[in-house]
Amino acid sequence: MITRKIKHKKYKIYESEEEFRKDYPDEKIYTNWREGTEGSWVKTDDGQVCPVLHRGKLRNGTVEGVYNYYIRTPIGSFVCRDSIVMDGEPRKNIYSFGSGDKSPYEIKRDRKKPTKREFLFAKYVAKGDDIVDAFLSAYPTENRDYAESQAKILMNTERVRGLIREEIDKVLNEAEITPLYILNKMKNIIESPDGRDSDKVSILKELVTISGMKDTEKRSESVTVFQGFSQEQLSAIGGETKKLAEAKREVEK
């Protein structure tokens, strides 16, 4: 027997009916798991016994009024068809049909096509909102702890960072702000005899980071504004520049 914790509650998966009967000698078991109802016990195709957490229905394609039923168990979710087999080890993601080899985190991390809410999240971040506030604005939740954890996952995905770059590029292009324009402004401040030393030091630090001359000991949630320069721009400023600017929020290891 193994125990699986789901949403702060523990559920038992018995290796066999014999093992199950030691705890529940008179409890009914659906030997055909496809007939299981919420709260009942079912027997899998390889002889395990587990509870049904939920029974629901799915629309069958485009046919109006036709549905397929499914059950969710501590082992995973399965459509109630004769062709579907329920067996094996518990799936990482019990909410996914099929093998369920990926956890909810892995599914969100590896998704290629952005969702509508991810587009909204990217717009809010590009506008300058804190990532937690951006998530709360884009998603139907008021839980800040949950929003923070999910926002960090999104910020670590290429697809969302790409969306944010696109949104920032739109604003910069409309304002005719180019990589060379920004670098020239930074250069002018450094070389100005009237400039404040504190401003010059700050800009020099940014340029050191941009040029890749110094590694940072902190991780950053970064939104790269510009990814590279033309050969003419590189010649104008000298050196090999990897990034022009980053909108970043420092996060301790």
Side-chain angles (χ1 to χ4, degrees):
M1 180 187 70
I2 63 174
T3 300
R4 185 167 191 181
K5 192 174 183 180
I6 302 170
K7 291 185 177 180
H8 308 295
K9 189 174 181 179
K10 294 181 179 180
Y11 297 92
K12 294 179 179 179
I13 302 173
Y14 292 90
E15 185 178 346
S16 64
E17 182 175 350
E18 181 181 3
E19 184 182 49
F20 172 79
R21 289 301 178 198
K22 293 178 182 178
D23 288 344
Y24 301 97
D26 301 318
E27 191 74 24
K28 179 180 178 178
I29 298 176
Y30 284 90
T31 54
N32 183 351
W33 58 263
R34 300 162 188 83
E35 299 174 356
T37 57
E38 187 169 332
S40 67
W41 292 87
V42 295
K43 193 172 188 178
T44 68
D45 292 303
D46 58 354
Q48 300 178 82
V49 178
C50 65
V52 176
L53 309 181
H54 176 72
R55 183 180 179 91
K57 58 183 181 180
L58 302 167
R59 185 171 177 176
N60 185 4
T62 59
V63 182
E64 190 68 32
V66 179
Y67 297 91
N68 290 317
Y69 287 92
Y70 70 91
I71 62 170
R72 182 177 301 129
T73 74
I75 294 178
S77 293
F78 303 87
V79 179
C80 300
R81 292 179 182 166
D82 291 339
S83 59
I84 301 297
V85 175
M86 179 180 176
D87 62 4
E89 298 291 326
R91 280 54 171 171
K92 286 185 180 180
N93 180 10
I94 66 166
Y95 302 97
S96 173
F97 297 102
S99 62
D101 290 334
K102 290 187 175 182
S103 66
Y105 163 75
E106 291 170 326
I107 292 173
K108 182 171 291 187
R109 180 197 65 189
D110 299 337
R111 186 188 302 124
K112 299 301 181 184
K113 187 177 180 181
T115 66
K116 291 181 179 179
R117 294 194 183 277
E118 287 174 350
F119 273 106
L120 279 176
F121 174 76
K123 283 181 178 293
Y124 287 125
V125 173
K127 190 180 69 174
D129 287 2
D130 175 83
I131 62 171
V132 177
D133 292 332
F135 190 91
L136 291 171
S137 297
Y139 289 83
T141 180
E142 296 179 358
N143 187 324
R144 291 193 67 85
D145 291 337
Y146 171 77
E148 182 178 3
S149 65
Q150 296 302 304
K152 288 179 178 178
I153 293 174
L154 292 178
M155 290 297 293
N156 283 325
T157 64
E158 282 295 329
R159 69 178 184 281
V160 172
R161 291 202 300 267
L163 290 175
I164 296 170
R165 281 196 296 269
E166 289 176 8
E167 291 300 319
I168 293 175
D169 283 346
K170 288 177 184 177
V171 175
L172 292 172
N173 288 334
E174 289 175 3
E176 298 182 351
I177 299 175
T178 65
L180 188 57
Y181 171 86
I182 295 175
L183 283 173
N184 280 330
K185 289 295 184 182
M186 296 170 82
K187 182 172 178 288
N188 290 339
I189 293 173
I190 293 172
E191 295 180 348
S192 172
D194 300 324
R196 294 189 303 177
D197 289 342
S198 59
D199 292 339
K200 294 180 181 182
V201 170
S202 177
I203 291 173
L204 282 170
K205 286 181 178 180
E206 285 297 322
L207 290 174
V208 167
T209 302
I210 290 168
S211 66
M213 292 171 59
K214 181 180 178 181
D215 293 329
T216 178
E217 293 181 355
K218 292 182 178 181
R219 291 175 296 161
S220 297
E221 294 170 345
S222 302
V223 180
T224 303
V225 178
F226 299 103
Q227 293 180 322
F229 299 87
S230 67
Q231 288 301 316
E232 291 78 10
Q233 291 170 332
L234 286 172
S235 298
I237 62 175
E240 294 181 356
T241 306
K242 293 181 180 179
K243 298 178 181 178
L244 172 62
E246 289 182 331
K248 60 188 178 181
R249 185 174 296 103
E250 294 292 340
V251 184
E252 295 292 342
K253 285 183 177 179

